[in-house]
Amino acid sequence: MIMYILVRLVDFYSLVIVVYVLMSWLPTDRGILHDIYTVLGKICDPYLNLFRQLIPPIGGFLDISPIFALLVLQLAVCLLVSFVGFIV
């Protein structure tokens, strides 16, 4: 039961990261989009900044660090689920 909740939370967080990245392509200067983007930034940036420090943007503008952040997040959950399944 706890593993199910953990997997769902990670899936939800992954979705939040994807929405945050997609919103970065939109003009979010003001209004409700700006507010949503700001909230998502406060949720996602602490985790994404770990990868942004290691992976510089390609060509100075293409940030691929969210791809690696999502891969690491999914890999960590898969390993945790397999490890717990192995113990039980």
Side-chain angles (χ1 to χ4, degrees), residues 20-84:
Y20 177 63
V21 169
L22 291 176
M23 283 190 73
S24 71
W25 297 347
L26 299 174
T28 56
D29 296 343
R30 58 184 114 95
I32 192 152
L33 281 181
H34 175 71
D35 296 338
I36 294 170
Y37 186 71
T38 303
V39 169
L40 292 179
K42 290 181 181 182
I43 295 169
C44 297
D45 278 338
Y47 178 64
L48 291 176
N49 286 339
L50 298 172
F51 295 91
R52 287 181 179 140
Q53 293 173 358
L54 300 173
I55 306 165
I58 296 175
F61 67 92
L62 182 60
D63 184 15
I64 61 169
S65 60
I67 296 170
F68 288 100
L70 288 171
L71 287 173
V72 167
L73 191 61
Q74 293 299 320
L75 180 65
V77 167
C78 287
L79 289 174
L80 184 63
V81 167
S82 350
F83 181 71
V84 170

